[in-house]
């Protein structure tokens, strides 16, 4: 027989209280699960690690971009370094000679361009009163005004906006100097990393393969070889086309008598080739401007030549040169540059085409392709209307035979 449940006096509200309810009243809360403190600590640690990693990535973004540019630059010069190393030159010395040649070329280009711009600015400053007199005379004759060059110069020199501009420029001297020093530091960083990547290429590949299983090592080495071939082929093919473009534009500018023809030719050759699709038109703007100062009709001649040469390059020159190096459809090339610019800015625009060519070649080595059926919709032909079924069957038998 079960024992009778002990009855306790009711509470203040008159509700009877049993032993279980009394026990719950005596124990205010259930014990905390053992896993909950550790889970809370783990969650806090994960959040802290995420914020730390995000902060570190934001701080190191500039360095990572510099390393990425240096890696592609090392891939571009590695074929030349390999050729010199195969002839007995030490790899470090060969890399130094290649980078010395690049440095001399870049310094020569900026020297020519800087001298051209400096001379042109000095000429414009010296001829400015003459141009202003011509403009004032034209305005007085056209609009029947009585303007004076001296009054215009005084009003400009004593204007508030010019004084504020001079003050702001003086205050921004330190900022400009800091930006210049930062740019030089970035160039030095990229050059040093690229030098070490190119000089220690075999050692770097050996270190990377040492942490991978043998089945993965062959794929990594194959991808590296494709990247070297495509990046180097892209740089060398663009350099060759830049040379041809520079020579062609130099002949035109020299024939027209445009000053600074060598510097302008180098400018057109480099800008037109390393900025895809629209580089030719951007590069042709400066020669057109200089030609316009000599004779307005010369600017039109330069524009016509730029357009004609662009068509010659697109349909005849570029397919022959890039057929064995970087064979990318123009639409894919332009889209890759836009995507690279959106992701990484100017750095993405520079490395977009070689990266796309490397990815395309790497995927092409593993994607199996099949023969395409001889269908008019695939071959680009249209069906001849009015053909009977017997005629179509006869035509099909002829094609098979």
């Amino acid at each position: 027989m079960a024992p009778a449940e002990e009855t306790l006096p009711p509470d203040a509200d008159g509700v009877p209280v049993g032993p279980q309810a009394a026990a719950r009243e005596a124990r205010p809360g259930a014990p905390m699960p053992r896993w909950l403190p550790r889970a809370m600590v783990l969650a806090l640690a994960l959040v802290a690690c995420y914020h730390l990693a995000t902060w570190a990535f934001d701080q190191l973004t500039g360095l990572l971009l510099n390393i990425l540019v240096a890696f592609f630059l090392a891939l571009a010069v590695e074929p030349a370094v390999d050729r010199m190393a195969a002839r007995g030159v030490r790899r470090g010395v060969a890399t130094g000679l290649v980078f010395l040649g690049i440095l001399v070329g870049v310094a020569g280009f900026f020297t020519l361009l800087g001298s051209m711009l400096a001379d042109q600015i000095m000429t414009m400053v010296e001829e400015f009163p003459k141009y202003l007199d011509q403009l004032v005379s034209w305005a007085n004759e056209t609009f029947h005004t009585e303007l004076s060059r001296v009054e215009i110069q005084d009003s400009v020199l004593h204007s508030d906006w010019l004084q504020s501009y001079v003050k702001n420029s003086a205050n921004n001297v330190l900022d400009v100097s800091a930006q210049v020093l930062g740019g030089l530091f970035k160039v030095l960083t990229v050059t040093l990393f690229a030098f070490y990547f190119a000089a220690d290429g075999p050692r770097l590949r050996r270190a990377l393969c040492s942490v991978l299983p043998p089945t993965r090592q062959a794929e990594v080495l194959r991808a590296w070889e494709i990247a070297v071939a495509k990046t180097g082929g892209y740089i060398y093919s663009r350099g060759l086309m830049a040379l041809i473009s520079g020579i062609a534009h130099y002949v035109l500018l020299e024939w027209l008598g445009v000053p600074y023809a060598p510097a302008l030719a180098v400018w057109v050759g480099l800008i037109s080739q390393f900025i895809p699709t629209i580089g030719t038109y951007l590069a042709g703007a400066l020669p057109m401007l200089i030609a316009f100062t000599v004779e307005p009709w010369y600017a039109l001649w330069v524009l016509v030549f730029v357009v004609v040469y662009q068509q010659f390059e697109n349909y005849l020159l570029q397919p022959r040169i890039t057929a064995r190096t970087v064979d990318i459809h123009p639409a894919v090339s332009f889209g890759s540059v836009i995507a690279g610019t959106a992701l990484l800015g100017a750095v993405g625009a520079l490395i977009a085409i070689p990266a796309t060519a490397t990815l395309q070649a790497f995927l092409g080595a593993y994607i199996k392709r099949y023969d395409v059926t001889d269908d008019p919709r695939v071959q680009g032909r249209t069906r001849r209307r009015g053909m009977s079924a017997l005629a179509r069957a006869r035509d099909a038998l002829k094609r098979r035979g």
Side-chain angles (χ1 to χ4, degrees), residues 39-74:
M40 294 176 64
V41 172
L42 180 61
L44 293 176
L46 290 176
V47 172
C49 291
Y50 171 77
H51 286 287
L52 180 62
T54 304
W55 173 81
F57 182 79
D58 292 337
Q59 298 296 321
L60 297 176
T61 300
L63 178 61
L64 295 176
L65 290 179
N66 292 335
I67 293 176
L68 183 62
V69 174
F71 179 71
F72 274 93
L73 180 59

Side-chain angles (χ1 to χ4, degrees), residues 34-383:
R34 296 180 179 179
W35 55 268
L36 186 58
R38 286 181 289 182
M40 294 176 64
V41 172
L42 180 61
L44 293 176
L46 290 176
V47 172
C49 291
Y50 171 77
H51 286 287
L52 180 62
T54 304
W55 173 81
F57 182 79
D58 292 337
Q59 298 296 321
L60 297 176
T61 300
L63 178 61
L64 295 176
L65 290 179
N66 292 335
I67 293 176
L68 183 62
V69 174
F71 179 71
F72 274 93
L73 180 59
L75 293 179
V77 303
E78 191 164 347
V81 174
D82 289 339
R83 291 191 186 96
M84 297 179 67
R87 296 179 179 180
V89 183
R90 294 181 57 184
R91 194 171 183 87
V93 177
T95 306
L97 292 176
V98 172
F99 275 92
L100 180 62
I102 295 174
L103 178 62
V104 171
V106 172
F109 168 70
F110 281 105
T111 301
L112 287 175
L113 188 62
S115 63
M116 180 196 69
L117 291 177
D119 293 342
Q120 194 67 21
I121 291 173
M122 291 297 297
T123 302
M124 292 178 63
V125 170
E126 293 175 356
E127 298 293 334
F128 179 75
K130 177 182 176 181
Y131 295 148
L132 187 57
D133 286 337
Q134 294 177 355
L135 180 62
V136 170
S137 300
W138 175 82
N140 290 334
E141 294 176 0
T142 304
F143 301 102
H144 304 287
T145 58
E146 296 181 357
L147 299 176
S148 173
R149 176 171 64 86
V150 178
E151 294 178 357
I152 294 176
Q153 288 180 347
D154 291 339
S155 62
V156 171
L157 292 176
H158 295 88
S159 59
D160 295 335
W161 67 269
L162 182 60
Q163 295 177 2
S164 62
Y165 176 77
V166 172
K167 292 180 180 179
N168 293 330
S169 300
N171 294 330
N172 293 332
V173 169
L174 293 177
D175 295 337
V176 173
S177 302
Q179 292 178 0
V180 172
L181 292 177
L184 292 177
F185 180 75
K186 289 181 180 180
V187 171
L188 181 61
T189 302
V190 170
T191 303
L192 288 177
F193 274 108
F195 178 84
Y196 289 128
F197 285 155
D200 294 338
R203 187 183 305 174
L204 182 61
R205 288 190 288 270
R206 189 181 305 112
L208 181 61
C209 291
S210 63
V211 297
L212 297 174
T215 56
R216 297 295 182 183
Q217 293 179 9
E219 296 181 2
V220 170
L221 294 176
R222 180 178 179 83
W224 194 295
E225 181 181 0
I226 292 175
V228 170
K230 293 301 179 180
T231 306
Y234 170 74
I235 297 297
Y236 297 143
S237 61
R238 290 293 172 178
L240 180 57
M241 288 191 296
L243 178 63
I244 298 173
S245 176
I247 293 175
H249 287 83
Y250 170 75
V251 172
L252 172 70
L253 297 174
E254 191 68 26
W255 178 66
L256 293 176
V258 178
Y260 316 107
L264 291 174
V266 174
W267 165 266
V268 173
L270 292 179
I271 299 300
S272 63
Q273 299 307 318
F274 290 96
I275 299 180
T277 307
I278 60 174
T280 300
Y281 305 104
L282 293 178
L286 184 59
M288 287 176 57
L289 180 61
I290 303 299
F292 184 83
T293 60
V294 178
E295 177 65 34
W297 285 104
Y298 287 175
L300 181 61
W301 279 105
V302 174
L303 176 61
V304 172
F305 182 82
V306 167
V307 173
V308 173
Y309 183 82
Q310 177 70 17
Q311 305 308 316
F312 165 75
E313 180 182 284
N314 289 339
Y315 293 101
L316 295 178
L317 185 62
Q318 183 173 350
R320 296 177 181 272
I321 294 179
T322 61
R324 297 181 179 180
T325 55
V326 183
D327 188 11
I328 303 179
H329 193 275
V332 177
S333 173
F334 187 65
S336 64
V337 170
I338 293 177
T341 304
L343 292 175
L344 300 176
V347 176
L350 289 175
I351 67 176
I353 293 180
T356 303
T358 301
L359 181 61
Q360 176 179 318
F362 186 73
L363 293 178
Y366 291 95
I367 296 177
K368 185 177 181 181
R369 297 183 179 274
Y370 301 92
D371 294 333
V372 181
T373 180
D374 189 12
D375 192 285
R377 293 167 295 183
V378 177
Q379 301 297 333
R381 300 190 303 268
T382 57
R383 291 180 180 271

